[in-house]
Amino acid sequence: METIILANGDIPMSRAITVLHICISFFLSFITESLCAQIKEVVVYSSVDDVFARPIAESFEKETGIKVKLVPDTEETKSTGLLNRLIAEKNRPQADVFWSGDPIRAAILNDKGIAAPYTSSEAKDLPKLFSHAEGYWTGFSARARVILYNKKLIPKDKAPDSVMDLLDPGYKGKACIANPLFGTTSMHAAALFEVLGEQKGKEFFEGLAKNNAKMVSSNGEVRRRVASGDCALGVTDTDDAYQAIREGKPVEIVYPDQEGMGTLIVPNAVVLIKGAPHPEQAKKLIDYLLSSKVEKMLAESEAAQMPVRSGVKAPAHVKSLESLKPMKVNYSQLANRLEALSQGFLREWAGRNRS
Amino acid sequence: MGRKEQVLISPMVLEQKSGWRIIGMSLILLLALLPSLALVVSVSGSSSQAILLDTFWQALSRSLLLALIVTLVSLLLGLPTGVLIGLYEFPGRRIFLALLALPLLIPSFLWAIGLLMFRLYFELGSDGLFAGLSGASMGFISLSLPLVIYTSFLSVRTLSQGQVDSALLCGSQYFLFKQTLKLSLPYASLIAVFGGVLTLSDPGPGQILGYAGIATELLVSFSALYDFSLAARQSLILIGVILFLLIPVVMKVSQSPILGLLGRDFKPAQAIINPTASWSLPLIVSLILLFTVLIPLTGLTQPLLREFPFKRAVQEVLRTINDTLLYSFFAGVIATVIGLFLSMLAGRDNAARRLLLAASLFLLSIPPAVSALGMILLGSYAPVWMEHLLRGRFAVALLLGLRFLPIATILSLRKIGTSSPTWAQAASLHGLSLWKYLKIILLPWFFPSGVLIGFAVALLATADITTIVLLRPPDADSFPLAIFTIMANAPEALVAALCLFYIGGAALAIAAITWIGSNYGKFSA
């Protein structure tokens, strides 16, 4: 091969050609990888945390032989997320199933015409309250919105028992809540407006601002801040709260408003995607997710989720739905309420109260 | 053979002014812009909410302040540090240089969480250095400072021994330092500005450390309102403001005669041995490493003091390593190849170089979510036969490459600027075709720098989350994305172990490049 070695000792072209060969090989690997995609598979977009969703997916694979391709998301730093991806892919979706950590995101998909109706045979003994009436999404195992407080900063006899306690002047600058435009906090906000009414809902949020409550980036951060004592108390989800307890942090969980409006229950929701590339496998996966077996697995997992169907045995530390007074909300309508709030009051409130 | 040679293009075409340069550049840049255009076009005219002007401008001014601080601090600290490291020899110089690359590989949100956890672990209070504006600044400076240091260092490496000796003969080492600062200032400023611009579209550190800005506004539009049209309009205003403020700066910097007069092909000058530098420089670099690496790293990994879930962390590494390498490698290759091509098109034409710098700034200021969602739209509407290009691993690598194309372009522009026009003249006189000239002279000469540029892009691409979270095919997570997706509810020790593995892997990659550099001696600037 003809080469010229420059005075400064530069390398010959052969190396560049070798790199080019490597590039072409990798490029071919991209193509062949796509072409050889397995037929017997199901693609799941999931806003449920990976650590909880993956074991369930693996269990389904073992049981059915259908490969689950999981695309997880998280609310930790508020990515622009999977819901946007589903919206952008609407014309030719890649996903078969959306497994949402809450029913709001599932309802939004339905509103945008991305969900397809499917009533699973496994859903017959699930409470109708947690599902769409026409089967566009179906709810199962649930989390709850709880108050997490730091035992070093708040003695047990003065523990908060209502989300209204966040307005207590004694906790001025000591309470925290995640941004109410995102995740389960947004669902909680919509639920509070539904239960309290428009005026009192606004008063609650204005009260939070007046009491210098900290608006932080996520429920995970609420957990971290309460656990470290940076905040005395905060509102978060049960899975976040249980994680702090598992790690031995000095925190306690309160299921709020058991004497009043009740605790907000946040069921998972599963959606069949309209135009899904693998509809049959998708339906099998939905059946599986809605089974009592998965509810038991999620209860026994570190997520400590509450089974919503009766008769599923859960570990002692997982509260049963029957033992709780749930907040009475219409889950199908919460998405519409949230949409109005997000475009109006909450958007303006969050803009005003950002750090 | 002779007949074929007659129709071949002369290498002198690279040195001559011509309209085709601008046309070629525009076409390539338009292709790079295509995904973002797809989103903007698809949502134009669709009903959408109004921009809350008060909130928007307030958020924008906060972000601009943050970007300004990041730019200035990176420049003021990075430029002299890079110059000093380039000029002087000191113990552990190569190791320090390698360690400085670590923050480049770490996603900004992870570094921010590291700072937050450090603050919480040591109970430093919520109003201190690691919170709010100062905290967010620290998070971003960790990324841009090393870039400025490297740029300044590489500028010093373009000095020949003769130039250094002449400067020393004219004055003292201080005179040499001052002159080298002047030499390095234009490109270091550009890189610092680019570092500042990168902060505008990244919501992570601001959200986590309590300093929300314009990126959070965009996030609300995307993730709370699901209003692409609103987000696109906000992005366009943001890009307009950035260009309005920075194009004059870029134009001014690009007019600097130094850019065109950088040293030609030579052996870099030997580093000077100075007793004061021998102890003070390690101290300065250690301090920089303390703030950019050690503090966030301590925050991230302190849960490992309780337990070390080694096996689970290894499983996660094995699950994601292939795709991580694929994305990074190809992003680096794509950005370097296109960046080189653009630089060759710009050549020594000042107008073309200025246009390219302005276009680079424009591309860099596009929020990554806009181009990623645009790419998804393209994939969704394109014919099925294009599926493999617009969806899947290649699409991820392509968009990552395009995201960091501005960095590759500006570095390539600099390298191509140091080539001698006499090469093309000599090649032309000897009857070499353009292809042969490229094959046996220009590309081999560029190759070592190209590897470094590709490596820099690969590092940045690895740390990018937004593009990968939106575009990755099912079951094709990158390792940083895996950390991102499990960190919400995984045990802290597992997240810490993953972070440690990641940083360890980054350190190994950097060590490998350093080793190659020291053993083959050709991977200098």
Side-chain angles (χ1 to χ4, degrees), chain A residues 188-345:
Chain A
H188 200 175
L192 285 171
F193 271 81
E194 182 163 319
V195 172
L196 298 172
E198 196 77 10
Q199 188 55 35
K200 284 196 172 168
K202 284 182 182 173
E203 281 172 16
F204 172 75
F205 277 95
E206 294 302 353
L208 281 178
K210 203 174 157 192
N211 212 25
N212 291 343
K214 291 170 188 163
M215 187 177 76
V216 299
S217 67
S218 66
N219 290 311
E221 202 188 325
V222 169
R223 178 194 75 224
R224 276 193 283 271
R225 293 212 185 210
V226 173
S228 70
D230 193 41
C231 292
L233 76 169
V235 183
T236 189
D237 299 329
T238 38
D239 50 351
D240 286 293
Y242 278 120
Q243 192 196 327
I245 287 175
R246 271 197 310 275
E247 288 179 343
K249 310 287 186 193
V251 293
E252 198 70 63
I253 298 173
V254 172
Y255 286 79
D257 298 296
Q258 288 302 292
E259 303 297 323
M261 62 184 160
T263 298
L264 179 65
I265 305 300
V266 185
N268 289 267
V270 63
V271 179
L272 174 66
I273 300 298
K274 193 175 174 181
H278 313 99
E280 289 315 310
Q281 287 91 328
K283 286 174 183 173
K284 279 185 185 158
L285 178 70
I286 291 174
D287 293 346
Y288 185 76
L289 288 177
L290 299 178
S291 67
S292 56
K293 182 182 174 181
V294 167
E295 284 215 305
K296 189 164 182 285
M297 284 169 76
L298 284 170
E300 287 167 352
S301 74
E302 292 183 341
Q305 296 200 359
M306 294 177 285
V308 298
R309 56 159 60 80
S310 54
V312 177
K313 201 171 176 193
H317 67 276
V318 178
K319 283 242 181 199
S320 68
L321 260 187
E322 292 81 13
S323 68
L324 282 175
K325 180 183 179 184
M327 195 184 272
K328 283 182 183 163
V329 288
N330 184 330
Y331 287 90
S332 296
Q333 287 177 8
L334 276 187
N336 291 335
R337 183 175 285 278
L338 179 59
E339 189 181 1
L341 281 169
S342 298
Q343 291 173 5
F345 174 76

Side-chain angles (χ1 to χ4, degrees), chain B residues 101-187:
Chain B
L102 266 180
L104 296 178
L105 197 66
I106 312 300
S108 58
F109 80 91
L110 212 54
W111 243 205
I113 286 180
L115 287 176
L116 174 71
M117 290 179 75
F118 183 86
R119 187 184 97 202
L120 296 178
Y121 187 71
F122 291 100
E123 299 178 2
L124 297 175
S126 53
D127 303 320
L129 182 65
F130 302 110
L133 178 60
S134 54
S137 302
M138 277 181 69
F140 283 119
I141 287 167
S142 299
L143 177 74
S144 63
L145 181 59
L147 281 175
V148 177
I149 291 177
Y150 282 134
T151 309
S152 311
F153 170 78
L154 292 177
S155 292
V156 179
R157 301 284 289 167
T158 63
L159 288 174
S160 68
Q161 191 62 53
Q163 286 170 309
V164 170
D165 291 342
S166 306
L168 287 173
L169 278 173
C170 289
S172 59
Q173 287 187 20
Y174 178 66
F175 176 77
L176 171 66
F177 173 66
K178 260 188 6 184
Q179 294 306 310
T180 319
L181 273 188
K182 277 187 195 169
L183 169 80
S184 310
L185 183 65
Y187 270 109

Side-chain angles (χ1 to χ4, degrees), chain B residues 74-88 90 93 97 100 145-157 159 177 180-181 184 188 281 284-285 288:
Chain B
S74 303
L75 186 62
L76 291 175
L77 286 178
L79 174 62
T81 308
V83 167
L84 288 171
I85 295 175
L87 284 177
Y88 293 100
F90 60 91
R93 181 172 179 245
L97 270 171
L100 275 171
L145 181 59
L147 281 175
V148 177
I149 291 177
Y150 282 134
T151 309
S152 311
F153 170 78
L154 292 177
S155 292
V156 179
R157 301 284 289 167
L159 288 174
F177 173 66
T180 319
L181 273 188
S184 310
L281 280 177
I284 291 170
V285 182
I288 290 174

